[in-house]
Amino acid sequence: MDTAVERAIECIRERYGEPLTLTEIAESALLSRFYFTRLFKEETGLTPGRFLAAIRIYQAKRLIETTSMSITDISYAVGYNSLGSFTNSFTASVGVSPSRFRRLARDGGDAPPGPEPTAWTGFGTIAGTISLPAGHGNARVFLGAFGTPIVQHPSVASGVIDVPSGRPSCYSLKNVPEGSWYLLAVAVADGLGPDPGAGRTPLVGGHGPKTVTVAADTVTSAAVRLRPARPVDPPVLLALPELEPPADVVPHPGCASVNPPQENGGRRQAAGHLRVATAAPAPSAS
């Protein structure tokens, strides 16, 4: 990651509640606006303004979960000048309204918001393996296909997969609409030792920076690798279920490359051909 981009993201994370301009963010990176905007997009997949908006919504989620502040006060604290625009932005990114999110945080939610109704008619499957970084115990993983490189509403398809410590686990994400999607994952992994829950770690990952292309009635293979979150990663905005790692995970005996055609709620399952996507690059040693 370019150090100029790191400086800019540090500025965004420290000053998200201010009326921060693109010029000020570029100045924090010691670059011109034009060159900075291009570099930031190349490094993160997002514009500086979109990254700032994501940080504001993420911080609003944190305040809603951990404080008794009113929704109005929270909206101003994270940089919005209007409760209405904040509510609209929050709902569009998280999938539920701020007040609904507070109830879910208090009472517990059992599932993220589902895909929105669309006119898609062709669906395929993405399948492959999910790998954990070394030194972690069992993990529960939320995996979804998204239109942007942010875990935000809506996902076009999603699922929760339990992954055992020390070995990859197979997954199969069905009913993915035709198109190119970012395959993104969020997880919580147990630690190793006598008290695994004491060393739990949040993990993020996916198939890499590129999208996965899905065709109708086709299985696309894509490897998913998880890693600890970094400060430069976009925040997770989607309202997610509790990712409580299981004490025991029974590993799948193997990964099926082709699923037979089935009917499921009027949708066809992917079938017929295996489309292989380039696996995500292995993490560097540095």
Side-chain angles (χ1 to χ4, degrees), residues 124-129 143-149 156 171 173 176-185 205-216 218-225 274-281:
T125 292
I126 306 175
T129 58
L143 179 67
F146 297 87
T148 74
V156 297
Y171 76 89
L173 197 61
V176 185
E178 288 183 286
S180 295
W181 309 105
Y182 292 93
L183 189 60
L184 306 174
H207 181 62
K210 296 183 179 180
T211 58
V212 176
T213 299
V214 176
T218 299
V219 180
T220 299
S221 176
V224 173
R225 290 187 173 92
L274 174 66
R275 180 185 178 87
V276 179
T278 304

Side-chain angles (χ1 to χ4, degrees), residues 205-257:
H207 181 62
K210 296 183 179 180
T211 58
V212 176
T213 299
V214 176
D217 300 328
T218 299
V219 180
T220 299
S221 176
V224 173
R225 290 187 173 92
L226 289 157
R227 57 172 173 76
R230 302 181 299 227
V232 295
D233 290 325
V236 174
L237 304 185
L238 182 67
L240 295 178
E242 288 291 331
L243 298 176
E244 181 79 13
D248 298 297
V249 178
V250 178
H252 297 285
C255 296
S257 61

Side-chain angles (χ1 to χ4, degrees), residues 81-257:
N81 295 320
S82 162
L83 176 61
S85 61
F86 165 72
T87 299
N88 290 338
S89 296
F90 187 98
T91 304
S93 297
V94 180
V96 294
S97 68
S99 57
R100 173 63 177 160
F101 184 75
R102 173 159 275 171
R103 289 194 295 272
L104 289 173
R106 181 189 62 215
D107 302 331
D110 56 0
E116 295 178 334
T118 69
W120 285 309
T121 57
F123 296 87
T125 292
I126 306 175
T129 58
I130 301 178
S131 301
L132 303 177
H136 293 279
N138 297 338
R140 178 154 289 173
V141 182
F142 172 85
L143 179 67
F146 297 87
T148 74
I150 304 178
V151 178
Q152 66 175 12
H153 183 71
S155 63
V156 297
S158 64
V160 175
I161 303 98
D162 290 331
V163 180
S165 174
R167 61 178 297 178
S169 181
C170 299
Y171 76 89
S172 181
L173 197 61
K174 298 180 173 64
N175 295 323
V176 185
E178 288 183 286
S180 295
W181 309 105
Y182 292 93
L183 189 60
L184 306 174
V186 182
V188 174
D190 271 337
L192 298 174
D195 186 7
R200 283 182 177 164
T201 305
L203 302 172
V204 297
H207 181 62
K210 296 183 179 180
T211 58
V212 176
T213 299
V214 176
D217 300 328
T218 299
V219 180
T220 299
S221 176
V224 173
R225 290 187 173 92
L226 289 157
R227 57 172 173 76
R230 302 181 299 227
V232 295
D233 290 325
V236 174
L237 304 185
L238 182 67
L240 295 178
E242 288 291 331
L243 298 176
E244 181 79 13
D248 298 297
V249 178
V250 178
H252 297 285
C255 296
S257 61

Side-chain angles (χ1 to χ4, degrees), residues 24-105:
E24 291 173 312
I25 300 173
E27 287 175 351
S28 73
L30 306 177
L31 296 173
S32 69
R33 283 182 51 175
F34 176 77
Y35 179 68
F36 165 71
T37 301
R38 186 179 67 182
L39 179 64
F40 193 97
K41 180 70 178 292
E42 289 175 351
E43 293 283 353
T44 67
L46 303 170
T47 65
R50 184 68 191 91
F51 199 100
L52 171 60
I55 292 295
R56 285 173 168 163
I57 295 299
Y58 173 78
Q59 293 296 341
K61 286 178 60 183
R62 184 184 62 81
L63 291 172
I64 289 172
E65 286 182 298
T66 62
T67 76
S68 59
M69 291 173 63
S70 70
I71 301 300
T72 299
D73 288 344
I74 289 173
S75 69
Y76 289 112
V78 299
Y80 283 82
N81 295 320
S82 162
L83 176 61
S85 61
F86 165 72
T87 299
N88 290 338
S89 296
F90 187 98
T91 304
S93 297
V94 180
V96 294
S97 68
S99 57
R100 173 63 177 160
F101 184 75
R102 173 159 275 171
R103 289 194 295 272
L104 289 173

